[in-house]
Amino acid sequence: MINSKEFSWSVIAIWVAIFSIGLAAIYSATQGPVSQFLPEYIQNNFFKQAIWIGLSIVVLIGLQFISPRTFQGGAYLFYALCILLMVITLFFGVEVSGSRSWLRIGPLNLQVGEITKIATILAAANYLTSRRDISAENLKTALTTVGFFILPVILLLMQNEAGIAIVYLAILPVVLFWSGLPYGISLLMIAPALIGYFTVLDWMWGAIMVAIVTIGIFLLQRRTWLTATSLVMGLLIVVGTEVALEQVLQPHQRARIESFANPTLDPLGAGWNVLQAKTAIGSGGLQGKGFMEGTQTQLRFLPEQWTDFIFCVVGEEFGFIGSSLVLILFSLLLLKMLSMAINHKHPFAQLVIVSVTFLFFAQFIINIGSATALLPIIGIPLPFMSYGGSAFLTNTIMLALCLNLDANKRSFSIYR
């Protein structure tokens, strides 16, 4: 039941502010002058998003009346059900944009991989906190935890949904680190992404990152075998990335990656999205061009401007002030949620809240990074802002879980 004295109303206020800005941006991107260039089903995105927001508000309120012990006790069953739905989707799902990750349930198309995020976090958190002697420092425990994440990742890749799979992998090191994985091994887990990123920019930067990671692991762990493993793995990633770019990838795949480092190499092809996104944000200036007045948005130069590039709509029409407001609101949300985790006494609640916090952070960084050409374009929506009913509902449920656990921290701390 809702504990009004303990409930974090400030988080609700931030959430409402974020989705309100997102709803305004979706309206501009689909209902403004640009609507003449859009098919009717895309013009309806604003109204569909408003319905999903209304549904999500009802779900958020409803989840506050559920005992926090229920989330822990039903974690494994929920996880098994979601995995079953993912398997069903693989065979009987609806294909959208080349990805068979949608399951039609009545009038709704549900992206099961989104909902499975919740189940995976709950199941992993329940396992890692089920006994006092369980710690991610133990190899068996760490591998079992990895299994909880790898299973949905494999199914997502089979559904051709690599974007969501990346988010699963992004939060895994954080879950393990919070559960006792040593600093050095945690760094080793995220090293491939860091080294690969810098290698795409230039192989010398990749080599420098190998040296930095190897030295860092040595200073943290002081183990020769782990340091040597880091060095060999890093060099293999640099060499492998270079070979893949030059000899393995198809020309269009190579062009997409190279356009991230230098979009002007193919301004009318692979670099088009990046250039238009940067132009939209840059042209907004301090105050922006005004609501539904952005030329990049309204003349349909921006790709997927209601989903992946919605931040560019805000940047163009509301300028530096609007963009900064979005960044500030997300920062406040993440800091408030991190504070929830730190102040909670129950390890299950702590791990769930930390996992959700970093999940939001990872999606936020990937989306903003893609929109500003700091990261390759992956296709991750901006939480609570981008159009997408399944994603909005999933993110709201995760936020609702955190609010429930936080509001019941005094009573839940004694549950076992």
Side-chain angles (χ1 to χ4, degrees):
M1 186 172 180
I2 295 177
N3 186 340
S4 59
K5 293 183 179 180
E6 297 286 346
F7 194 74
S8 183
W9 295 103
S10 59
V11 169
I12 291 294
I14 296 169
W15 174 64
V16 171
I18 292 174
F19 78 63
S20 297
I21 295 173
L23 203 57
I26 293 172
Y27 185 90
S28 177
T30 59
Q31 300 296 305
V34 70
S35 61
Q36 62 184 307
F37 304 114
L38 301 174
E40 185 177 355
Y41 75 92
I42 290 183
Q43 293 180 37
N44 292 333
N45 283 354
F46 169 78
F47 304 102
K48 289 186 286 187
Q49 186 75 356
I51 293 172
W52 276 104
I53 289 174
L55 174 62
S56 298
I57 291 173
V58 173
V59 171
L60 183 144
I61 294 172
L63 285 173
Q64 304 315 307
F65 292 90
I66 297 176
S67 167
R69 180 182 288 181
T70 303
F71 304 130
Q72 186 176 19
Y76 293 150
L77 179 61
F78 184 34
Y79 178 79
L81 177 62
C82 285
I83 293 298
L84 177 61
L85 288 175
M86 289 189 73
V87 174
I88 293 173
T89 303
L90 186 62
F91 293 99
F92 304 103
V94 178
E95 187 170 325
V96 178
S97 300
S99 173
R100 189 180 292 275
S101 58
W102 300 82
L103 187 64
R104 187 178 296 278
I105 302 176
L108 301 177
N109 276 341
L110 190 66
Q111 197 167 20
V112 182
E114 288 284 351
I115 301 296
T116 307
K117 290 177 185 175
I118 309 169
T120 303
I121 288 173
L122 290 176
N126 187 34
Y127 170 70
L128 286 166
T129 59
S130 58
R131 296 200 314 268
R132 291 182 180 275
D133 60 339
I134 285 185
S135 170
E137 191 172 4
N138 179 275
L139 181 60
K140 179 182 177 181
T141 301
L143 290 176
T144 302
T145 306
V146 170
F148 279 113
F149 286 85
I150 290 299
L151 182 55
V153 165
I154 292 172
L155 291 171
L156 283 167
L157 293 176
M158 293 174 68
Q159 295 171 358
N160 197 26
E161 189 59 77
I164 299 178
I166 289 174
V167 175
Y168 278 80
L169 295 176
I171 65 173
L172 178 56
V174 176
V175 171
L176 291 173
F177 173 74
W178 193 269
S179 303
L181 194 70
Y183 293 96
I185 298 179
S186 298
L187 178 58
L188 186 64
M189 288 188 68
I190 65 174
L194 293 173
I195 296 169
Y197 173 84
F198 283 97
T199 303
V200 169
L201 296 177
D202 190 283
W203 72 267
M204 287 190 295
W205 283 111
I208 291 173
M209 183 53 59
V210 171
I212 293 173
V213 168
T214 301
I215 293 171
I217 289 176
F218 174 75
L219 294 176
L220 289 170
Q221 295 299 130
R222 300 286 182 175
R223 294 183 180 179
T224 304
W225 70 268
L226 191 60
T227 305
T229 300
S230 171
L231 177 61
V232 173
M233 181 193 72
L235 293 176
L236 287 174
I237 291 172
V238 172
V239 173
T241 302
E242 284 294 303
V243 171
L245 288 173
E246 296 297 329
Q247 301 180 20
V248 178
L249 296 179
Q250 297 296 319
H252 70 279
Q253 295 173 319
R254 185 164 58 250
R256 180 177 298 180
I257 294 175
E258 291 175 344
S259 68
F260 151 65
N262 186 2
T264 58
L265 290 175
D266 188 13
L268 298 179
W272 173 264
N273 291 354
V274 175
L275 290 174
Q276 299 307 316
K278 292 173 67 177
T279 300
I281 295 175
S283 65
L286 178 62
Q287 297 179 329
K289 296 178 178 178
F291 183 54
M292 293 198 297
E293 298 294 332
T295 53
Q296 294 294 112
T297 300
Q298 301 306 330
L299 294 178
R300 193 65 179 91
F301 286 107
L302 268 178
E304 303 295 331
Q305 55 194 28
W306 48 87
T307 53
D308 300 343
F309 291 93
I310 197 165
F311 182 74
C312 302
V313 177
V314 176
E316 182 179 33
E317 299 193 346
F318 300 102
F320 177 78
I321 294 175
S323 300
S324 298
L325 178 59
V326 170
L327 298 179
I328 290 170
L329 286 171
F330 270 105
S331 298
L332 288 174
L333 177 64
L334 295 171
L335 288 173
K336 291 287 292 185
M337 293 180 68
L338 191 59
S339 176
M340 288 181 187
I342 293 173
N343 293 327
H344 213 294
K345 296 180 180 180
H346 199 286
F348 172 78
Q350 278 192 338
L351 190 51
V352 169
I353 297 173
V354 165
S355 300
V356 172
T357 302
F358 191 78
L359 180 67
F360 289 166
F361 175 74
Q363 293 177 105
F364 170 75
I365 289 296
I366 292 173
N367 181 276
I368 300 296
S370 298
T372 54
L374 295 175
L375 291 172
I377 297 173
I378 297 174
I380 299 296
L382 189 57
F384 305 119
M385 284 188 61
S386 295
Y387 168 75
S390 295
F392 191 94
L393 178 61
T394 298
N395 290 330
T396 300
I397 291 174
M398 288 190 286
L399 182 65
L401 289 176
C402 295
L403 289 169
N404 181 299
L405 293 170
D406 179 62
N408 292 282
K409 58 179 173 287
R410 297 185 186 278
S411 58
F412 188 49
S413 62
I414 63 173
Y415 287 169
R416 286 298 180 195

